[in-house]
Amino acid sequence: MTVELGHFALVLALALSIVQAVVPLAGARLESTQLMRVGEPVAVAGFLLVAAAFATLVHGYVTSDFSILNVWENSHSAQPLLYKITGTWGNHEGSMLLWVQILTFFSALVAVFGRNLPPSLRANVLSVQGMVGTAFLLFILFTSNPFTRLVPAPFEGKDLNPLLQDIGLALHPPLLYLGYVGFSVAFSFAAAALIEGRIDAAWARWVRPWTLMAWAFLTGGIAMGSYWAYYELGWGGFWFWDPVENASLMPWLAGTALLHSAIVMEKRSALKIWTVLLAILTFSLSLVGTFLVRSGVLTSVHAFATDPTRGVFILAILMIFIGGSLALFALRASSLTAGGLFHPISREGSLVLNNLILSTCTATVLVGTLYPLLIEALTAEKISVGAPFFNLTFIPLAIPLLIAVPFGPQLAWKRGDLLAAAQRLFAAFAISAAVIIGVLFFVDRASTVAALGIGLGFWLIFGSLTDIVFKAGVGKASPGVVFSRLKGLPLSVFGTAVAHAGIGLTVIGLSCVTTMQVECITVMKPNDVVEAGGYTMRFREIAALKGPNFGEDRAVFDLTGPDGRRLGEIASSKRIYTARAMPTTEAGIRTFGFSQLYVSIGDATESGLVVHAWWKPQVTLIWWGAVVMMFGGFLSLCDRRLRVGVPTRRKAALQAAKG
């Protein structure tokens, strides 16, 4: 009976989504306050109904209810409880339910926290959100129902894909979807503004917090997915330019451009048309990513579904929302004003440069991802576009952008002084130049690329701090005045500096690990020794172990540091999951500072055990940089100026006194 209640809750949620899509829009057209306000309680009720359905599916997994087809295909009674819960979204149907859950969550947030918006704009935003929700609820109910029954119920389940039985599944998909789906709010704001035919600086101020929130979550989701693949697949890499990896990178790049473009629109009423178009394209790229993962056009470790029927349905959703929004944009574009003018050397100009390069990077990744699919569809010939293409096209575009990043905050609005900005950044330049020389002379004289990359990372970090240093008057004012100025700076200033510094950390990590890592592949027997990065591993033994739902051959190595000191052990294993008879490799990882020793074992041969060892200098900075970027995004989100309609403390006190 519980399953039927979950299914019924989805049907009711669909009915409410239709009401949300139609009634507020009609109210805005008829200028009826009562009809426009219908969207708010309906959005909240829709969220609660989808939450009830989602809780029902989680209950089915936790109790191992194998009468549910979805649970039978993706769970097992011997599975640890954590993986039973995360297994709820470790499959196509459950992950789509999570997708819709997050969509309705954002709709409810707009309904609850958007009461300061103009009534017609709020009604139109909720209406567009309702349209998206209706489309995906129809998709779930007609092609991907997670509550389909099995009669009679099997005694045991098939087990979850072993690669997904990891803590990474608890974090990666929810974070990624909060980013993917979060951009739907920016899309809805853009569509609502086009419906009304009015776009101004206030619109940019309203859309910025939603974009910032989605961007921060997507940053965390991509980083978590990268680290998960790094340690779970046993291949030692952190990015493969897999089409599905690219599908998450594209909306991140477009969302980054949207975030900066919205700043120009809010501060200077410029780039209006471009900002609206970016809002449409960012969510459109999220929909493209959803299509790639679930249509069956890709064979990937990340892909969830291979049913062409589902692909056709999602393709129809893409055509309706992407085509419809672009058609609406084309219809309204001629009536929209471009906004204020500015000098090329200005903060606006630096943000336009940012947008141009990010958009070109996005287009490059899009072409490289879709071109093989297009060729296969037209000629039935399979081709591969991999890392060499993306490295040769993406990196040369990204480097000039990263060099220019510290200049932006140093330039004035409307007209800036490039020479003065360069003078303020002299200390950051001197530090980065000293780092480059230090790396060449004391670390690796042969690796000029590594030195330049590390120097670029330090340039980003100290260039970002320069803005705060000058605004606080460090070196020119007394410590008390400096502290007072720091307290008075908006949180968004700190958030921007932190996010840019996070990019610098990631650049340092990428530069070090791609140019200076040490790799060793050998065949070992007990007591054999291998060295990587100055660390010595002695093969002690290989032992057979038993897990809750898997068998494991675990190779143990005694680890000795460069100074000859014993550092304990490091272990890697091969697992066979009983239900699926599927092998996996569990890498052994030891972290030293920001560097890691990474060990992965292969198959046993007559000569011994194949062992693959890497020394990866500063590799964790790749992901710590993303965490810092994410923190910078949320720090900016805490700025009171981004909470539209929230009065300052002084105003709030005056209002309370008057009341």
Side-chain angles (χ1 to χ4, degrees):
M1 183 62 183
T2 306
V3 177
E4 283 68 33
L5 287 175
H7 183 264
F8 186 56
L10 280 185
V11 174
L12 286 178
L14 172 62
L16 289 182
S17 285
I18 295 172
V19 172
Q20 182 183 332
V22 174
V23 176
L25 181 62
R29 299 294 293 175
L30 298 173
E31 299 183 355
S32 169
T33 304
Q34 290 81 4
L35 291 179
M36 285 191 287
R37 298 202 63 178
V38 166
E40 298 168 32
V42 167
V44 175
F47 163 68
L48 294 176
L49 284 169
V50 177
F54 190 79
T56 300
L57 188 60
V58 172
H59 178 267
Y61 271 87
V62 170
T63 59
S64 295
D65 184 356
F66 298 123
S67 68
I68 307 173
L69 176 62
N70 184 259
V71 177
W72 173 68
E73 289 180 334
N74 300 283
S75 190
H76 192 277
S77 59
Q79 212 168 277
L81 178 61
L82 174 63
Y83 303 145
K84 286 183 179 180
I85 296 172
T86 59
T88 307
W89 55 82
N91 58 86
H92 168 72
E93 292 83 2
S95 67
M96 283 310 305
L97 185 57
L98 177 64
W99 206 100
V100 174
Q101 175 72 89
I102 293 173
L103 179 69
T104 56
F105 170 68
F106 277 107
S107 295
L109 286 181
V110 173
V112 173
F113 295 104
R115 292 172 182 169
N116 54 304
L117 299 173
S120 60
L121 178 63
R122 182 175 65 247
N124 285 327
V125 169
L126 288 173
S127 177
V128 176
Q129 286 287 111
M131 294 175 192
V132 179
T134 299
F136 280 94
L137 281 167
L138 285 170
F139 174 72
I140 288 177
L141 288 169
F142 285 101
T143 72
S144 309
N145 194 335
F147 298 111
T148 303
R149 282 282 196 185
L150 270 178
V151 181
F155 178 74
E156 190 54 86
K158 291 184 173 182
D159 203 8
L160 181 66
N161 184 333
L163 293 176
L164 304 180
Q165 295 189 38
D166 186 84
I167 188 63
L169 185 63
L171 301 174
H172 170 53
L175 284 174
L176 200 65
Y177 290 178
L178 283 166
Y180 264 171
V181 184
F183 284 125
S184 68
V185 180
F187 172 83
S188 296
F189 267 96
L194 290 172
I195 291 170
E196 288 192 357
R198 189 185 69 183
I199 301 173
D200 52 22
W203 177 89
R205 190 179 181 190
W206 289 321
V207 84
R208 264 185 71 197
W210 301 101
T211 305
L212 189 57
M213 185 189 303
W215 178 87
F217 279 124
L218 187 57
T219 301
I222 293 173
M224 184 64 239
S226 168
Y227 190 63
W228 180 16
Y230 167 77
Y231 72 77
E232 179 62 25
L233 297 182
W235 65 306
F238 51 86
W239 193 262
F240 191 63
W241 291 106
D242 180 284
V244 181
E245 290 176 331
N246 296 347
S248 63
L249 179 62
M250 288 186 289
W252 185 86
L253 293 169
T256 305
L258 170 61
L259 200 54
H260 291 85
S261 181
I263 295 173
V264 177
M265 184 174 171
E266 178 188 348
K267 300 293 185 182
R268 298 291 304 153
S269 292
L271 303 183
K272 293 180 181 179
I273 298 174
W274 174 241
T275 305
V276 172
L277 181 60
L278 272 178
I280 292 172
L281 292 178
T282 300
F283 184 60
S284 298
L285 289 169
S286 295
L287 292 178
V288 169
T290 303
F291 170 73
L292 291 174
V293 175
R294 302 169 193 286
S295 62
V297 300
L298 292 178
T299 301
S300 166
V301 69
H302 303 84
F304 272 121
T306 56
D307 184 356
T309 305
R310 293 168 175 169
V312 171
F313 201 115
I314 296 182
L315 187 60
I317 293 175
L318 259 68
M319 293 174 64
I320 291 170
F321 286 103
I322 299 177
S325 58
L326 291 177
L328 181 61
F329 176 81
L331 186 66
R332 294 289 195 185
S334 59
S335 63
L336 300 176
T337 57
L341 300 176
F342 51 87
H343 194 271
I345 305 299
S346 62
R347 189 172 299 189
E348 297 97 322
S350 69
L351 294 172
V352 168
L353 176 65
N354 161 289
N355 270 227
L356 288 173
I357 297 178
L358 284 172
S359 300
T360 307
C361 289
T362 306
T364 298
V365 178
L366 181 65
V367 170
T369 304
L370 297 185
Y371 180 71
L373 302 179
L374 180 63
I375 292 297
E376 184 178 353
L378 295 177
T379 67
E381 179 184 353
K382 288 184 178 289
I383 66 169
S384 176
V385 175
F389 167 81
F390 291 107
N391 291 338
L392 287 173
T393 55
F394 186 87
I395 294 176
L397 288 169
I399 289 174
L401 173 62
L402 296 177
I403 293 173
V405 163
F407 283 93
Q410 302 302 318
L411 295 172
W413 293 104
K414 198 171 182 178
R415 180 183 290 272
D417 187 337
L418 188 60
L419 180 59
Q423 289 173 341
R424 286 193 290 271
L425 288 168
F426 179 77
F429 175 78
I431 292 171
S432 61
V435 167
I436 292 172
I437 295 170
V439 171
L440 285 174
F441 276 89
F442 300 107
V443 179
D444 189 349
R445 295 190 178 187
S447 188
T448 305
V449 174
L452 292 175
I454 296 169
L456 177 58
F458 275 88
W459 163 250
L460 285 164
I461 293 170
F462 286 95
S464 302
L465 295 176
T466 299
D467 186 42
I468 296 176
V469 167
F470 273 89
K471 285 179 177 176
V474 176
K476 296 182 179 179
S478 66
V481 173
V482 169
F483 181 72
S484 177
R485 289 179 179 176
L486 286 173
K487 281 182 60 179
L489 287 176
L491 284 177
S492 60
V493 172
F494 291 102
T496 299
V498 168
H500 289 172
I503 298 173
L505 290 175
T506 296
V507 169
I508 293 172
L510 289 170
S511 302
C512 289
V513 77
T514 54
T515 59
M516 295 191 292
Q517 77 171 1
V518 178
E519 182 178 4
C520 177
I521 304 176
T522 186
V523 177
M524 302 183 70
K525 292 181 179 180
N527 293 318
D528 284 352
V529 173
V530 65
E531 183 179 324
Y535 291 84
T536 302
M537 297 187 303
R538 184 181 65 84
F539 184 17
R540 185 202 307 169
E541 62 179 356
I542 185 164
L545 302 174
K546 184 71 176 176
N549 59 337
F550 60 84
E552 179 181 51
D553 290 327
R554 187 168 184 261
V556 182
F557 302 85
D558 293 320
L559 184 61
T560 304
D563 57 357
R565 185 165 54 93
R566 290 284 302 276
L567 299 175
E569 64 182 40
I570 185 170
S572 177
S573 61
K574 284 281 190 180
R575 290 180 179 177
I576 294 289
Y577 283 76
T578 309
R580 292 191 177 228
M582 180 175 174
T584 65
T585 299
E586 300 295 318
I589 300 175
R590 286 287 300 270
T591 302
F592 303 95
F594 295 113
S595 304
Q596 288 186 334
L597 184 65
Y598 186 109
V599 183
S600 176
I601 62 171
D603 297 326
T605 67
E606 294 181 359
S607 304
L609 182 69
V610 177
V611 177
H612 203 161
W614 290 269
W615 170 248
K616 295 181 173 292
Q618 316 307 321
V619 66
T620 58
L621 287 179
I622 297 172
W623 303 293
W624 279 118
V627 172
V628 171
M629 281 186 261
M630 191 178 180
F631 175 73
F634 285 120
L635 191 61
S636 294
L637 200 59
C638 293
D639 193 325
R640 292 184 63 84
R641 298 180 305 170
L642 293 184
R643 285 180 266 161
V644 182
V646 177
T648 62
R649 291 185 178 90
R650 184 178 178 184
K651 289 182 179 179
L654 290 173
Q655 289 174 3
K658 290 178 181 178

PDB file of all heavy atoms in Angstrom, residues 81-100:
ATOM      1  N   LEU A  81      23.277  -0.224   5.077  1.00  0.00           N
ATOM      2  CA  LEU A  81      22.138   0.698   5.121  1.00  0.00           C
ATOM      3  C   LEU A  81      22.413   1.985   4.351  1.00  0.00           C
ATOM      4  O   LEU A  81      21.534   2.483   3.639  1.00  0.00           O
ATOM      5  CB  LEU A  81      21.792   1.024   6.576  1.00  0.00           C
ATOM      6  CG  LEU A  81      20.652   2.029   6.794  1.00  0.00           C
ATOM      7  CD1 LEU A  81      19.350   1.502   6.199  1.00  0.00           C
ATOM      8  CD2 LEU A  81      20.484   2.338   8.279  1.00  0.00           C
ATOM      9  N   LEU A  82      23.623   2.535   4.477  1.00  0.00           N
ATOM     10  CA  LEU A  82      23.947   3.781   3.786  1.00  0.00           C
ATOM     11  C   LEU A  82      23.735   3.627   2.283  1.00  0.00           C
ATOM     12  O   LEU A  82      23.160   4.505   1.628  1.00  0.00           O
ATOM     13  CB  LEU A  82      25.394   4.195   4.070  1.00  0.00           C
ATOM     14  CG  LEU A  82      25.904   5.406   3.293  1.00  0.00           C
ATOM     15  CD1 LEU A  82      25.106   6.664   3.639  1.00  0.00           C
ATOM     16  CD2 LEU A  82      27.386   5.639   3.552  1.00  0.00           C
ATOM     17  N   TYR A  83      24.174   2.486   1.729  1.00  0.00           N
ATOM     18  CA  TYR A  83      24.070   2.295   0.290  1.00  0.00           C
ATOM     19  C   TYR A  83      22.660   1.919  -0.132  1.00  0.00           C
ATOM     20  O   TYR A  83      22.293   2.091  -1.299  1.00  0.00           O
ATOM     21  CB  TYR A  83      25.088   1.249  -0.177  1.00  0.00           C
ATOM     22  CG  TYR A  83      26.506   1.615   0.184  1.00  0.00           C
ATOM     23  CD1 TYR A  83      27.437   0.640   0.520  1.00  0.00           C
ATOM     24  CD2 TYR A  83      26.904   2.950   0.231  1.00  0.00           C
ATOM     25  CE1 TYR A  83      28.735   0.983   0.874  1.00  0.00           C
ATOM     26  CE2 TYR A  83      28.190   3.297   0.581  1.00  0.00           C
ATOM     27  CZ  TYR A  83      29.104   2.321   0.903  1.00  0.00           C
ATOM     28  OH  TYR A  83      30.379   2.673   1.252  1.00  0.00           O
ATOM     29  N   LYS A  84      21.867   1.418   0.805  1.00  0.00           N
ATOM     30  CA  LYS A  84      20.443   1.242   0.505  1.00  0.00           C
ATOM     31  C   LYS A  84      19.774   2.603   0.308  1.00  0.00           C
ATOM     32  O   LYS A  84      18.983   2.792  -0.607  1.00  0.00           O
ATOM     33  CB  LYS A  84      19.757   0.480   1.643  1.00  0.00           C
ATOM     34  CG  LYS A  84      20.079  -0.998   1.700  1.00  0.00           C
ATOM     35  CD  LYS A  84      19.286  -1.678   2.816  1.00  0.00           C
ATOM     36  CE  LYS A  84      19.582  -3.175   2.852  1.00  0.00           C
ATOM     37  NZ  LYS A  84      18.831  -3.864   3.918  1.00  0.00           N
ATOM     38  N   ILE A  85      20.125   3.538   1.186  1.00  0.00           N
ATOM     39  CA  ILE A  85      19.528   4.883   1.085  1.00  0.00           C
ATOM     40  C   ILE A  85      20.024   5.599  -0.166  1.00  0.00           C
ATOM     41  O   ILE A  85      19.225   6.116  -0.959  1.00  0.00           O
ATOM     42  CB  ILE A  85      19.851   5.703   2.350  1.00  0.00           C
ATOM     43  CG1 ILE A  85      19.199   5.053   3.574  1.00  0.00           C
ATOM     44  CG2 ILE A  85      19.370   7.142   2.186  1.00  0.00           C
ATOM     45  CD1 ILE A  85      19.620   5.683   4.891  1.00  0.00           C
ATOM     46  N   THR A  86      21.344   5.627  -0.367  1.00  0.00           N
ATOM     47  CA  THR A  86      21.883   6.332  -1.534  1.00  0.00           C
ATOM     48  C   THR A  86      21.520   5.624  -2.829  1.00  0.00           C
ATOM     49  O   THR A  86      21.473   6.255  -3.890  1.00  0.00           O
ATOM     50  CB  THR A  86      23.406   6.467  -1.434  1.00  0.00           C
ATOM     51  OG1 THR A  86      23.995   5.163  -1.343  1.00  0.00           O
ATOM     52  CG2 THR A  86      23.799   7.264  -0.200  1.00  0.00           C
ATOM     53  N   GLY A  87      21.262   4.319  -2.746  1.00  0.00           N
ATOM     54  CA  GLY A  87      20.829   3.591  -3.932  1.00  0.00           C
ATOM     55  C   GLY A  87      19.507   4.085  -4.477  1.00  0.00           C
ATOM     56  O   GLY A  87      19.164   3.823  -5.637  1.00  0.00           O
ATOM     57  N   THR A  88      18.765   4.827  -3.658  1.00  0.00           N
ATOM     58  CA  THR A  88      17.490   5.403  -4.112  1.00  0.00           C
ATOM     59  C   THR A  88      17.693   6.241  -5.365  1.00  0.00           C
ATOM     60  O   THR A  88      16.869   6.220  -6.286  1.00  0.00           O
ATOM     61  CB  THR A  88      16.868   6.273  -2.997  1.00  0.00           C
ATOM     62  OG1 THR A  88      16.782   5.513  -1.797  1.00  0.00           O
ATOM     63  CG2 THR A  88      15.475   6.746  -3.391  1.00  0.00           C
ATOM     64  N   TRP A  89      18.790   7.006  -5.403  1.00  0.00           N
ATOM     65  CA  TRP A  89      19.055   7.816  -6.601  1.00  0.00           C
ATOM     66  C   TRP A  89      20.241   7.282  -7.407  1.00  0.00           C
ATOM     67  O   TRP A  89      20.755   7.968  -8.284  1.00  0.00           O
ATOM     68  CB  TRP A  89      19.289   9.278  -6.216  1.00  0.00           C
ATOM     69  CG  TRP A  89      20.368   9.519  -5.204  1.00  0.00           C
ATOM     70  CD1 TRP A  89      21.702   9.604  -5.424  1.00  0.00           C
ATOM     71  CD2 TRP A  89      20.193   9.744  -3.798  1.00  0.00           C
ATOM     72  NE1 TRP A  89      22.376   9.849  -4.261  1.00  0.00           N
ATOM     73  CE2 TRP A  89      21.481   9.953  -3.242  1.00  0.00           C
ATOM     74  CE3 TRP A  89      19.077   9.789  -2.955  1.00  0.00           C
ATOM     75  CZ2 TRP A  89      21.671  10.196  -1.880  1.00  0.00           C
ATOM     76  CZ3 TRP A  89      19.282  10.032  -1.617  1.00  0.00           C
ATOM     77  CH2 TRP A  89      20.556  10.228  -1.088  1.00  0.00           C
ATOM     78  N   GLY A  90      20.655   6.040  -7.139  1.00  0.00           N
ATOM     79  CA  GLY A  90      21.744   5.437  -7.910  1.00  0.00           C
ATOM     80  C   GLY A  90      21.246   4.707  -9.134  1.00  0.00           C
ATOM     81  O   GLY A  90      21.872   3.737  -9.579  1.00  0.00           O
ATOM     82  N   ASN A  91      20.138   5.149  -9.707  1.00  0.00           N
ATOM     83  CA  ASN A  91      19.541   4.528 -10.888  1.00  0.00           C
ATOM     84  C   ASN A  91      18.730   5.585 -11.620  1.00  0.00           C
ATOM     85  O   ASN A  91      18.530   6.695 -11.105  1.00  0.00           O
ATOM     86  CB  ASN A  91      18.638   3.358 -10.468  1.00  0.00           C
ATOM     87  CG  ASN A  91      17.543   3.797  -9.509  1.00  0.00           C
ATOM     88  OD1 ASN A  91      16.487   4.235  -9.916  1.00  0.00           O
ATOM     89  ND2 ASN A  91      17.820   3.704  -8.196  1.00  0.00           N
ATOM     90  N   HIS A  92      18.281   5.249 -12.804  1.00  0.00           N
ATOM     91  CA  HIS A  92      17.607   6.245 -13.635  1.00  0.00           C
ATOM     92  C   HIS A  92      16.322   6.765 -12.990  1.00  0.00           C
ATOM     93  O   HIS A  92      16.131   7.974 -12.829  1.00  0.00           O
ATOM     94  CB  HIS A  92      17.289   5.642 -15.007  1.00  0.00           C
ATOM     95  CG  HIS A  92      16.361   6.491 -15.823  1.00  0.00           C
ATOM     96  ND1 HIS A  92      16.748   7.677 -16.393  1.00  0.00           N
ATOM     97  CD2 HIS A  92      15.045   6.329 -16.155  1.00  0.00           C
ATOM     98  CE1 HIS A  92      15.725   8.213 -17.042  1.00  0.00           C
ATOM     99  NE2 HIS A  92      14.681   7.421 -16.907  1.00  0.00           N
ATOM    100  N   GLU A  93      15.427   5.863 -12.612  1.00  0.00           N
ATOM    101  CA  GLU A  93      14.121   6.290 -12.101  1.00  0.00           C
ATOM    102  C   GLU A  93      14.263   7.086 -10.804  1.00  0.00           C
ATOM    103  O   GLU A  93      13.646   8.150 -10.641  1.00  0.00           O
ATOM    104  CB  GLU A  93      13.223   5.064 -11.864  1.00  0.00           C
ATOM    105  CG  GLU A  93      12.799   4.333 -13.119  1.00  0.00           C
ATOM    106  CD  GLU A  93      13.852   3.357 -13.619  1.00  0.00           C
ATOM    107  OE1 GLU A  93      14.915   3.224 -12.953  1.00  0.00           O
ATOM    108  OE2 GLU A  93      13.633   2.739 -14.674  1.00  0.00           O
ATOM    109  N   GLY A  94      15.066   6.563  -9.873  1.00  0.00           N
ATOM    110  CA  GLY A  94      15.242   7.266  -8.605  1.00  0.00           C
ATOM    111  C   GLY A  94      15.938   8.600  -8.756  1.00  0.00           C
ATOM    112  O   GLY A  94      15.601   9.573  -8.078  1.00  0.00           O
ATOM    113  N   SER A  95      16.917   8.664  -9.657  1.00  0.00           N
ATOM    114  CA  SER A  95      17.632   9.929  -9.848  1.00  0.00           C
ATOM    115  C   SER A  95      16.729  10.974 -10.498  1.00  0.00           C
ATOM    116  O   SER A  95      16.832  12.161 -10.198  1.00  0.00           O
ATOM    117  CB  SER A  95      18.887   9.713 -10.697  1.00  0.00           C
ATOM    118  OG  SER A  95      18.557   9.348 -12.021  1.00  0.00           O
ATOM    119  N   MET A  96      15.816  10.534 -11.374  1.00  0.00           N
ATOM    120  CA  MET A  96      14.869  11.488 -11.962  1.00  0.00           C
ATOM    121  C   MET A  96      13.886  11.993 -10.905  1.00  0.00           C
ATOM    122  O   MET A  96      13.484  13.161 -10.926  1.00  0.00           O
ATOM    123  CB  MET A  96      14.098  10.836 -13.107  1.00  0.00           C
ATOM    124  CG  MET A  96      14.880  10.717 -14.402  1.00  0.00           C
ATOM    125  SD  MET A  96      15.680  12.259 -14.947  1.00  0.00           S
ATOM    126  CE  MET A  96      14.303  13.404 -15.001  1.00  0.00           C
ATOM    127  N   LEU A  97      13.512  11.119  -9.971  1.00  0.00           N
ATOM    128  CA  LEU A  97      12.651  11.570  -8.882  1.00  0.00           C
ATOM    129  C   LEU A  97      13.386  12.595  -8.021  1.00  0.00           C
ATOM    130  O   LEU A  97      12.799  13.600  -7.585  1.00  0.00           O
ATOM    131  CB  LEU A  97      12.200  10.368  -8.038  1.00  0.00           C
ATOM    132  CG  LEU A  97      11.186  10.664  -6.934  1.00  0.00           C
ATOM    133  CD1 LEU A  97       9.928  11.315  -7.505  1.00  0.00           C
ATOM    134  CD2 LEU A  97      10.818   9.387  -6.180  1.00  0.00           C
ATOM    135  N   LEU A  98      14.687  12.371  -7.770  1.00  0.00           N
ATOM    136  CA  LEU A  98      15.489  13.362  -7.047  1.00  0.00           C
ATOM    137  C   LEU A  98      15.564  14.660  -7.840  1.00  0.00           C
ATOM    138  O   LEU A  98      15.483  15.756  -7.266  1.00  0.00           O
ATOM    139  CB  LEU A  98      16.896  12.801  -6.802  1.00  0.00           C
ATOM    140  CG  LEU A  98      17.884  13.746  -6.114  1.00  0.00           C
ATOM    141  CD1 LEU A  98      17.432  14.081  -4.702  1.00  0.00           C
ATOM    142  CD2 LEU A  98      19.292  13.128  -6.076  1.00  0.00           C
ATOM    143  N   TRP A  99      15.700  14.559  -9.160  1.00  0.00           N
ATOM    144  CA  TRP A  99      15.741  15.736 -10.044  1.00  0.00           C
ATOM    145  C   TRP A  99      14.489  16.588  -9.849  1.00  0.00           C
ATOM    146  O   TRP A  99      14.559  17.808  -9.646  1.00  0.00           O
ATOM    147  CB  TRP A  99      15.841  15.255 -11.492  1.00  0.00           C
ATOM    148  CG  TRP A  99      16.476  16.179 -12.478  1.00  0.00           C
ATOM    149  CD1 TRP A  99      17.749  16.132 -12.954  1.00  0.00           C
ATOM    150  CD2 TRP A  99      15.847  17.283 -13.162  1.00  0.00           C
ATOM    151  NE1 TRP A  99      17.950  17.130 -13.875  1.00  0.00           N
ATOM    152  CE2 TRP A  99      16.804  17.850 -14.030  1.00  0.00           C
ATOM    153  CE3 TRP A  99      14.574  17.846 -13.124  1.00  0.00           C
ATOM    154  CZ2 TRP A  99      16.540  18.941 -14.839  1.00  0.00           C
ATOM    155  CZ3 TRP A  99      14.295  18.939 -13.935  1.00  0.00           C
ATOM    156  CH2 TRP A  99      15.274  19.474 -14.775  1.00  0.00           C
ATOM    157  N   VAL A 100      13.328  15.923  -9.885  1.00  0.00           N
ATOM    158  CA  VAL A 100      12.055  16.643  -9.735  1.00  0.00           C
ATOM    159  C   VAL A 100      11.890  17.145  -8.302  1.00  0.00           C
ATOM    160  O   VAL A 100      11.329  18.221  -8.072  1.00  0.00           O
ATOM    161  CB  VAL A 100      10.878  15.747 -10.154  1.00  0.00           C
ATOM    162  CG1 VAL A 100       9.547  16.422  -9.857  1.00  0.00           C
ATOM    163  CG2 VAL A 100      10.970  15.414 -11.638  1.00  0.00           C
TER     164      VAL A 100
END
